[in-house]
PDB file of all heavy atoms in Angstrom:
ATOM      1  N   GLU A  51      42.125 -37.681-205.407  1.00  0.00           N
ATOM      2  CA  GLU A  51      43.429 -37.032-205.457  1.00  0.00           C
ATOM      3  C   GLU A  51      43.880 -36.995-206.910  1.00  0.00           C
ATOM      4  O   GLU A  51      43.879 -38.024-207.583  1.00  0.00           O
ATOM      5  CB  GLU A  51      44.444 -37.787-204.603  1.00  0.00           C
ATOM      6  CG  GLU A  51      45.778 -37.070-204.496  1.00  0.00           C
ATOM      7  CD  GLU A  51      46.687 -37.736-203.486  1.00  0.00           C
ATOM      8  OE1 GLU A  51      47.013 -38.919-203.682  1.00  0.00           O
ATOM      9  OE2 GLU A  51      47.050 -37.086-202.506  1.00  0.00           O
ATOM     10  N   ILE A  52      44.229 -35.805-207.379  1.00  0.00           N
ATOM     11  CA  ILE A  52      44.696 -35.657-208.759  1.00  0.00           C
ATOM     12  C   ILE A  52      46.104 -35.076-208.755  1.00  0.00           C
ATOM     13  O   ILE A  52      46.530 -34.442-207.786  1.00  0.00           O
ATOM     14  CB  ILE A  52      43.765 -34.745-209.589  1.00  0.00           C
ATOM     15  CG1 ILE A  52      43.743 -33.323-209.041  1.00  0.00           C
ATOM     16  CG2 ILE A  52      42.358 -35.326-209.654  1.00  0.00           C
ATOM     17  CD1 ILE A  52      43.044 -32.334-209.965  1.00  0.00           C
ATOM     18  N   LYS A  53      46.806 -35.320-209.849  1.00  0.00           N
ATOM     19  CA  LYS A  53      48.132 -34.733-210.043  1.00  0.00           C
ATOM     20  C   LYS A  53      48.018 -33.711-211.158  1.00  0.00           C
ATOM     21  O   LYS A  53      47.546 -34.019-212.256  1.00  0.00           O
ATOM     22  CB  LYS A  53      49.146 -35.807-210.415  1.00  0.00           C
ATOM     23  CG  LYS A  53      50.561 -35.286-210.483  1.00  0.00           C
ATOM     24  CD  LYS A  53      51.533 -36.436-210.675  1.00  0.00           C
ATOM     25  CE  LYS A  53      52.949 -35.919-210.611  1.00  0.00           C
ATOM     26  NZ  LYS A  53      53.911 -37.028-210.728  1.00  0.00           N
ATOM     27  N   VAL A  54      48.414 -32.484-210.855  1.00  0.00           N
ATOM     28  CA  VAL A  54      48.380 -31.407-211.839  1.00  0.00           C
ATOM     29  C   VAL A  54      49.610 -30.537-211.632  1.00  0.00           C
ATOM     30  O   VAL A  54      49.976 -30.229-210.498  1.00  0.00           O
ATOM     31  CB  VAL A  54      47.074 -30.583-211.728  1.00  0.00           C
ATOM     32  CG1 VAL A  54      46.904 -29.965-210.357  1.00  0.00           C
ATOM     33  CG2 VAL A  54      46.984 -29.525-212.796  1.00  0.00           C
ATOM     34  N   ARG A  55      50.291 -30.192-212.713  1.00  0.00           N
ATOM     35  CA  ARG A  55      51.486 -29.341-212.667  1.00  0.00           C
ATOM     36  C   ARG A  55      52.550 -29.884-211.707  1.00  0.00           C
ATOM     37  O   ARG A  55      53.286 -29.124-211.069  1.00  0.00           O
ATOM     38  CB  ARG A  55      51.130 -27.924-212.282  1.00  0.00           C
ATOM     39  CG  ARG A  55      50.214 -27.241-213.283  1.00  0.00           C
ATOM     40  CD  ARG A  55      49.887 -25.838-212.856  1.00  0.00           C
ATOM     41  NE  ARG A  55      48.883 -25.252-213.719  1.00  0.00           N
ATOM     42  CZ  ARG A  55      49.156 -24.299-214.612  1.00  0.00           C
ATOM     43  NH1 ARG A  55      50.366 -23.847-214.763  1.00  0.00           N
ATOM     44  NH2 ARG A  55      48.177 -23.804-215.355  1.00  0.00           N
ATOM     45  N   GLY A  56      52.609 -31.198-211.529  1.00  0.00           N
ATOM     46  CA  GLY A  56      53.635 -31.814-210.703  1.00  0.00           C
ATOM     47  C   GLY A  56      53.333 -31.906-209.222  1.00  0.00           C
ATOM     48  O   GLY A  56      54.161 -32.348-208.441  1.00  0.00           O
ATOM     49  N   TYR A  57      52.158 -31.473-208.807  1.00  0.00           N
ATOM     50  CA  TYR A  57      51.806 -31.632-207.400  1.00  0.00           C
ATOM     51  C   TYR A  57      50.465 -32.335-207.259  1.00  0.00           C
ATOM     52  O   TYR A  57      49.692 -32.421-208.213  1.00  0.00           O
ATOM     53  CB  TYR A  57      51.806 -30.291-206.652  1.00  0.00           C
ATOM     54  CG  TYR A  57      50.761 -29.307-207.100  1.00  0.00           C
ATOM     55  CD1 TYR A  57      49.501 -29.278-206.513  1.00  0.00           C
ATOM     56  CD2 TYR A  57      51.033 -28.377-208.101  1.00  0.00           C
ATOM     57  CE1 TYR A  57      48.544 -28.379-206.905  1.00  0.00           C
ATOM     58  CE2 TYR A  57      50.089 -27.458-208.513  1.00  0.00           C
ATOM     59  CZ  TYR A  57      48.842 -27.464-207.913  1.00  0.00           C
ATOM     60  OH  TYR A  57      47.904 -26.567-208.321  1.00  0.00           O
ATOM     61  N   LEU A  58      50.221 -32.857-206.062  1.00  0.00           N
ATOM     62  CA  LEU A  58      48.992 -33.588-205.788  1.00  0.00           C
ATOM     63  C   LEU A  58      47.978 -32.668-205.133  1.00  0.00           C
ATOM     64  O   LEU A  58      48.322 -31.844-204.292  1.00  0.00           O
ATOM     65  CB  LEU A  58      49.277 -34.785-204.875  1.00  0.00           C
ATOM     66  CG  LEU A  58      50.208 -35.839-205.466  1.00  0.00           C
ATOM     67  CD1 LEU A  58      50.553 -36.884-204.413  1.00  0.00           C
ATOM     68  CD2 LEU A  58      49.575 -36.500-206.678  1.00  0.00           C
ATOM     69  N   LEU A  59      46.734 -32.830-205.533  1.00  0.00           N
ATOM     70  CA  LEU A  59      45.651 -31.975-205.055  1.00  0.00           C
ATOM     71  C   LEU A  59      44.444 -32.858-204.770  1.00  0.00           C
ATOM     72  O   LEU A  59      44.078 -33.700-205.585  1.00  0.00           O
ATOM     73  CB  LEU A  59      45.333 -30.959-206.151  1.00  0.00           C
ATOM     74  CG  LEU A  59      44.284 -29.902-205.910  1.00  0.00           C
ATOM     75  CD1 LEU A  59      44.735 -28.966-204.781  1.00  0.00           C
ATOM     76  CD2 LEU A  59      44.090 -29.096-207.176  1.00  0.00           C
ATOM     77  N   SER A  60      43.828 -32.681-203.605  1.00  0.00           N
ATOM     78  CA  SER A  60      42.609 -33.421-203.265  1.00  0.00           C
ATOM     79  C   SER A  60      41.403 -32.550-203.531  1.00  0.00           C
ATOM     80  O   SER A  60      41.390 -31.371-203.169  1.00  0.00           O
ATOM     81  CB  SER A  60      42.624 -33.840-201.798  1.00  0.00           C
ATOM     82  OG  SER A  60      43.637 -34.791-201.583  1.00  0.00           O
ATOM     83  N   LEU A  61      40.395 -33.124-204.175  1.00  0.00           N
ATOM     84  CA  LEU A  61      39.183 -32.381-204.527  1.00  0.00           C
ATOM     85  C   LEU A  61      37.958 -33.041-203.918  1.00  0.00           C
ATOM     86  O   LEU A  61      37.814 -34.257-203.947  1.00  0.00           O
ATOM     87  CB  LEU A  61      39.005 -32.344-206.048  1.00  0.00           C
ATOM     88  CG  LEU A  61      40.071 -31.641-206.858  1.00  0.00           C
ATOM     89  CD1 LEU A  61      39.767 -31.790-208.338  1.00  0.00           C
ATOM     90  CD2 LEU A  61      40.161 -30.174-206.489  1.00  0.00           C
TER      91      LEU A  61
END
Side-chain angles (χ1 to χ4, degrees):
E51 186 172 61
I52 63 170
K53 186 173 185 177
V54 59
R55 297 180 187 252
Y57 65 90
L58 297 173
L59 183 64
S60 293
L61 297 176

